[in-house]
mmCIF file of all heavy atoms in Angstrom:
data_model
loop_
_atom_site.group_PDB
_atom_site.id
_atom_site.type_symbol
_atom_site.label_atom_id
_atom_site.label_comp_id
_atom_site.label_asym_id
_atom_site.label_seq_id
_atom_site.Cartn_x
_atom_site.Cartn_y
_atom_site.Cartn_z
ATOM 1 N N ASN X 329 -6.791 -23.461 -12.790
ATOM 2 C CA ASN X 329 -7.834 -24.170 -13.527
ATOM 3 C C ASN X 329 -9.212 -23.536 -13.375
ATOM 4 O O ASN X 329 -10.208 -24.070 -13.827
ATOM 5 C CB ASN X 329 -7.895 -25.639 -13.077
ATOM 6 C CG ASN X 329 -8.226 -25.774 -11.592
ATOM 7 O OD1 ASN X 329 -8.515 -24.773 -10.937
ATOM 8 N ND2 ASN X 329 -8.178 -26.995 -11.079
ATOM 9 N N LEU X 332 -11.963 -22.327 -7.212
ATOM 10 C CA LEU X 332 -11.657 -21.484 -6.065
ATOM 11 C C LEU X 332 -10.706 -22.203 -5.122
ATOM 12 O O LEU X 332 -10.844 -23.398 -4.858
ATOM 13 C CB LEU X 332 -12.935 -21.114 -5.316
ATOM 14 C CG LEU X 332 -13.926 -20.239 -6.071
ATOM 15 C CD1 LEU X 332 -15.136 -19.960 -5.192
ATOM 16 C CD2 LEU X 332 -13.284 -18.938 -6.512
ATOM 17 N N ALA X 361 18.434 11.957 1.445
ATOM 18 C CA ALA X 361 19.883 12.016 1.685
ATOM 19 C C ALA X 361 20.671 11.669 0.416
ATOM 20 O O ALA X 361 21.687 10.986 0.457
ATOM 21 C CB ALA X 361 20.276 11.084 2.826
ATOM 22 N N SER X 373 25.106 1.580 -16.221
ATOM 23 C CA SER X 373 24.896 2.415 -15.042
ATOM 24 C C SER X 373 23.594 3.196 -15.186
ATOM 25 O O SER X 373 23.344 3.832 -16.224
ATOM 26 C CB SER X 373 26.065 3.389 -14.886
ATOM 27 O OG SER X 373 25.708 4.499 -14.092
ATOM 28 N N GLU X 375 22.786 5.924 -13.665
ATOM 29 C CA GLU X 375 23.068 7.355 -13.752
ATOM 30 C C GLU X 375 23.485 7.734 -15.168
ATOM 31 O O GLU X 375 23.120 8.811 -15.670
ATOM 32 C CB GLU X 375 24.162 7.734 -12.750
ATOM 33 C CG GLU X 375 24.135 9.197 -12.341
ATOM 34 C CD GLU X 375 22.781 9.606 -11.751
ATOM 35 O OE1 GLU X 375 22.267 8.904 -10.879
ATOM 36 O OE2 GLU X 375 22.244 10.639 -12.209
ATOM 37 N N ASP X 421 -1.954 12.816 -19.926
ATOM 38 C CA ASP X 421 -0.971 12.711 -18.850
ATOM 39 C C ASP X 421 -0.443 11.294 -18.664
ATOM 40 O O ASP X 421 0.154 10.998 -17.634
ATOM 41 C CB ASP X 421 -1.589 13.185 -17.526
ATOM 42 C CG ASP X 421 -1.633 14.702 -17.423
ATOM 43 O OD1 ASP X 421 -0.771 15.357 -18.034
ATOM 44 O OD2 ASP X 421 -2.520 15.224 -16.729
ATOM 45 N N GLN X 434 12.198 1.754 -8.267
ATOM 46 C CA GLN X 434 13.421 2.059 -7.532
ATOM 47 C C GLN X 434 13.206 1.890 -6.025
ATOM 48 O O GLN X 434 14.039 1.307 -5.331
ATOM 49 C CB GLN X 434 13.865 3.492 -7.822
ATOM 50 C CG GLN X 434 14.504 3.696 -9.181
ATOM 51 C CD GLN X 434 14.983 5.127 -9.328
ATOM 52 O OE1 GLN X 434 14.243 6.068 -9.044
ATOM 53 N NE2 GLN X 434 16.209 5.312 -9.758
ATOM 54 N N ASN X 465 2.627 22.773 -25.536
ATOM 55 C CA ASN X 465 2.465 23.863 -24.582
ATOM 56 C C ASN X 465 3.608 24.839 -24.805
ATOM 57 O O ASN X 465 4.776 24.499 -24.557
ATOM 58 C CB ASN X 465 2.488 23.316 -23.150
ATOM 59 C CG ASN X 465 2.234 24.386 -22.109
ATOM 60 O OD1 ASN X 465 1.987 25.545 -22.442
ATOM 61 N ND2 ASN X 465 2.312 24.007 -20.854
ATOM 62 N N VAL X 477 15.524 -0.104 -24.267
ATOM 63 C CA VAL X 477 16.282 -1.310 -23.932
ATOM 64 C C VAL X 477 16.770 -1.921 -25.236
ATOM 65 O O VAL X 477 15.962 -2.249 -26.114
ATOM 66 C CB VAL X 477 15.412 -2.301 -23.138
ATOM 67 C CG1 VAL X 477 16.233 -3.532 -22.748
ATOM 68 C CG2 VAL X 477 14.847 -1.624 -21.888
ATOM 69 N N SER X 516 6.005 -13.491 -9.860
ATOM 70 C CA SER X 516 5.398 -13.117 -8.584
ATOM 71 C C SER X 516 5.618 -11.636 -8.294
ATOM 72 O O SER X 516 4.683 -10.910 -7.929
ATOM 73 C CB SER X 516 5.993 -13.967 -7.456
ATOM 74 O OG SER X 516 5.604 -13.482 -6.183
ATOM 75 N N VAL X 565 -6.655 -6.825 -11.505
ATOM 76 C CA VAL X 565 -5.331 -6.981 -10.897
ATOM 77 C C VAL X 565 -5.421 -7.700 -9.565
ATOM 78 O O VAL X 565 -4.487 -8.388 -9.146
ATOM 79 C CB VAL X 565 -4.623 -5.621 -10.743
ATOM 80 C CG1 VAL X 565 -4.370 -4.980 -12.100
ATOM 81 C CG2 VAL X 565 -5.385 -4.672 -9.834
ATOM 82 N N ALA X 596 8.109 13.901 -6.341
ATOM 83 C CA ALA X 596 8.031 15.357 -6.221
ATOM 84 C C ALA X 596 8.793 16.081 -7.317
ATOM 85 O O ALA X 596 8.383 17.157 -7.750
ATOM 86 C CB ALA X 596 8.554 15.791 -4.851
ATOM 87 N N GLU X 602 6.022 21.967 -12.633
ATOM 88 C CA GLU X 602 4.867 22.664 -12.083
ATOM 89 C C GLU X 602 4.093 21.797 -11.098
ATOM 90 O O GLU X 602 3.639 22.282 -10.068
ATOM 91 C CB GLU X 602 3.939 23.111 -13.218
ATOM 92 C CG GLU X 602 4.613 24.054 -14.211
ATOM 93 C CD GLU X 602 3.764 24.277 -15.451
ATOM 94 O OE1 GLU X 602 2.695 23.658 -15.545
ATOM 95 O OE2 GLU X 602 4.198 25.063 -16.320
#
Side-chain angles (χ1 to χ4, degrees):
N329 61 6
L332 295 180
S373 159
E375 204 57 49
D421 281 332
Q434 285 184 311
N465 184 3
V477 182
S516 170
V565 297
E602 300 170 357

